[in-house]
């Protein structure tokens, strides 16, 4: 006989896993550096621009969205102020497409009309009228043509000129290989000498291993309010890290699925069996670190994690001195 699933419990799990933002040490450092860029805006001169890069799943886009939430548009009597303008770089990345995308985000009803010169002129005017102090552009690797694997130089030149003509700082967000765009354009690289790298948690680093475990414990506490009791997720930290390579997005996906499995079984906590089923159905179907047969080896959950091999030539956010209270680990969006 099947067990009736409590819809309120499932809804509560979705709420917890969807609305809780993991503000770990590197995440907070990234937010602080975005704020430094925004504070560099004076309306004249050369602003401080940055590149935030790292493999898929480390939380780059989430970090950018969190900063946007902290700096939302403000409606006044005569206009709408947009202190932070955020957009995803379109595919294909052309100068016209870039201008249109930013115009659309600023509310221009004719964002796809006019020549490139006309769109760019309207964009500069709107940026000034909206009081924009920072532009965040996600998916910076789209500046590399997928077919030829060459950097689209005219678009990077267009961006360089936009920065020069508006003095508005820009934060680029992308995968590690997006740094090739800067390498191909010396003048653009000079403007983006400020670079920040987000990496997965390193199990071999004592401080990072401790923080990874604290995150598990903090999420466990939130889910206990829905399921009924704690699941001792921190006791499975080594298995969780082996199955996710320390990537926050995969960790959340894993725990979300396991919590669902627990709720469907009317269990008061997440068990190893729930984690095993979630891993099999949501991450990797064959190898499974939550089975008794696991040999203790890490499992590559996503091909994108191999981008980590490209990291290393640019200084990253320091991984040292990451100690903090559990209350600082989780915060509502």
């Amino acid at each position: 006989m099947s067990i009736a699933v409590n819809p309120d419990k499932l809804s509560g799990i979705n709420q917890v896993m969807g609305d809780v933002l993991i503000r770990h040490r590197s995440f907070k450092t990234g937010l602080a550096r975005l704020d430094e860029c925004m504070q560099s805006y004076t309306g004249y001169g050369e602003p401080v621009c940055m590149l935030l890069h790292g493999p898929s799943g480390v939380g780059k886009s989430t970090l950018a969205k969190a900063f946007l939430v902290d700096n939302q548009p403000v409606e006044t009597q005569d206009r709408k102020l947009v202190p932070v303008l955020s957009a995803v770089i379109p595919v294909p990345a052309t100068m016209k497409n870039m201008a249109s995308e930013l115009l659309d985000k600023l509310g221009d009803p004719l964002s796809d009309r006019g020549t490139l010169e006309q769109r760019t002129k309207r964009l500069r005017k709107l940026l000034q009228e909206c009081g924009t102090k920072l532009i965040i552009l996600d998916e910076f690797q789209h500046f590399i043509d997928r077919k030829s694997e060459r950097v689209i130089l005219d678009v990077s030149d267009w961006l360089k000129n936009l920065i020069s003509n508006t003095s508005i700082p820009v934060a680029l967000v992308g995968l590690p290989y997006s740094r090739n765009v800067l390498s191909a354009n010396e003048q653009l690289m000079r403007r983006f000498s400020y670079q920040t790298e987000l990496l997965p948690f390193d199990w071999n680093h004592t401080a990072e291993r401790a923080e990874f475990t604290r995150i598990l414990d903090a999420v466990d506490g939130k889910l206990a309010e829905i399921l009924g009791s704690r699941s001792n997720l921190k006791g499975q930290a080594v298995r969780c890290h082996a199955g996710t390579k320390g990537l926050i997005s995969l960790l959340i996906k894993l725990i979300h699925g396991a919590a669902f499995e627990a709720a469907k079984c009317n269990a008061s906590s997440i068990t190893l069996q729930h984690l095993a089923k979630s891993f099999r159905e949501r991450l990797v179907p064959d190898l499974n670190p939550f089975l008794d047969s696991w040999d203790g080896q890490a499992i590559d959950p996503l091909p994108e994690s191999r981008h980590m091999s490209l990291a290393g030539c640019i200084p990253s956010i320091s991984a040292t001195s990451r100690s903090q209270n559990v209350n600082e680990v989780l915060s509502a969006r």
Side-chain angles (χ1 to χ4, degrees):
M1 186 175 67
S2 61
I3 300 174
V5 181
N6 186 336
D8 291 336
K9 187 170 286 190
L10 296 180
S11 177
I13 292 170
N14 282 334
Q15 186 74 32
V16 167
M17 302 308 295
D19 289 349
V20 170
L21 182 67
I22 300 176
R23 291 181 181 249
H24 51 84
R25 180 73 175 217
S26 294
F27 193 94
K28 289 182 176 180
T29 302
L31 288 176
R33 292 187 174 178
L34 283 174
D35 190 61
E36 286 179 37
C37 288
M38 187 170 73
Q39 297 304 324
S40 74
Y41 174 74
T42 60
Y44 57 89
E46 191 168 300
V48 174
C49 299
M50 71 175 283
L51 169 63
L52 174 68
H53 65 93
S56 295
V58 292
K60 303 182 301 297
S61 296
T62 301
L63 191 156
K65 290 176 183 176
F67 189 79
L68 193 62
V69 168
D70 293 338
N71 297 276
Q72 296 187 51
V74 178
E75 294 283 356
T76 66
Q77 283 187 333
D78 58 342
R79 59 177 172 166
K80 181 180 181 180
L81 297 176
V82 185
V84 179
L85 174 62
S86 179
V88 175
I89 295 173
V91 177
T94 66
M95 293 182 285
K96 274 191 173 182
N97 284 351
M98 283 291 299
S100 293
E101 184 68 19
L102 294 176
L103 284 169
D104 181 65
K105 293 297 182 180
L106 288 172
D108 186 342
L110 303 176
S111 60
D112 60 347
R113 303 290 181 87
T115 64
L116 172 63
E117 183 179 357
Q118 291 169 336
R119 295 184 203 190
T120 304
K121 186 176 181 179
R122 292 206 313 275
L123 175 59
R124 292 202 301 262
K125 182 181 179 182
L126 268 178
L127 286 169
Q128 183 178 22
E129 292 176 351
C130 292
T132 301
K133 299 179 180 179
L134 176 67
I135 299 173
I136 300 177
L137 297 177
D138 202 355
E139 305 291 356
F140 181 46
Q141 66 275 2
H142 290 172
F143 270 34
I144 299 176
D145 183 76
R146 290 181 176 179
K147 294 181 179 179
S148 65
E149 296 186 357
R150 293 181 179 179
V151 175
I152 308 173
L153 291 175
D154 57 354
V155 182
S156 59
D157 280 337
W158 178 87
L159 178 61
K160 176 199 67 179
N161 291 332
L162 182 68
I163 296 170
S164 297
N165 291 327
T166 63
S167 295
I168 296 175
V170 171
L172 299 171
V173 181
L175 295 172
Y177 66 85
S178 63
R179 291 174 295 174
N180 295 339
V181 179
L182 299 183
S183 299
N185 191 320
E186 185 177 343
Q187 290 185 324
L188 195 64
M189 174 179 277
R190 181 174 58 80
R191 287 169 171 79
F192 287 88
S193 57
Y194 197 13
Q195 300 187 15
T196 297
E197 184 178 23
L198 284 182
L199 291 172
F201 287 94
D202 183 355
W203 190 256
N204 295 319
H205 192 289
T206 303
E208 293 194 31
R209 181 169 67 246
E211 186 172 26
F212 184 83
T213 303
R214 279 195 297 273
I215 289 172
L216 280 171
D217 194 46
V219 174
D220 195 356
K222 291 291 184 180
L223 287 173
E225 299 173 7
I226 308 297
L227 295 174
S229 61
R230 279 184 168 269
S231 307
N232 190 29
L233 290 178
K234 65 180 181 180
Q236 305 299 336
V238 63
R239 293 177 183 265
C240 288
H241 188 278
T244 63
K245 284 286 189 72
L247 293 166
I248 285 294
S249 66
L250 296 187
L251 181 67
I252 294 302
K253 182 184 290 186
L254 170 69
I255 297 174
H256 196 165
F260 255 46
E261 292 303 321
K264 288 190 289 185
C265 297
N266 202 24
S268 61
S269 62
I270 297 172
T271 67
L272 198 62
Q273 289 72 30
H274 297 142
L275 287 164
K277 187 174 182 181
S278 176
F279 186 83
R280 182 176 67 251
E281 295 182 351
R282 298 193 175 208
L283 297 181
V284 182
D286 43 17
L287 302 174
N288 198 317
F290 300 100
L291 298 178
D292 292 337
S293 58
W294 179 53
D295 61 4
Q297 298 299 311
I299 296 168
D300 193 354
L302 284 178
E304 286 89 338
S305 64
R306 297 192 183 97
H307 287 311
M308 287 183 285
S309 63
L310 296 174
C313 61
I314 295 179
S316 64
I317 294 176
S318 174
T320 60
S321 304
R322 290 191 167 189
S323 177
Q324 62 183 135
N325 296 326
V326 170
N327 290 334
E328 293 180 298
V329 175
L330 297 178
S331 64
R333 287 188 192 275

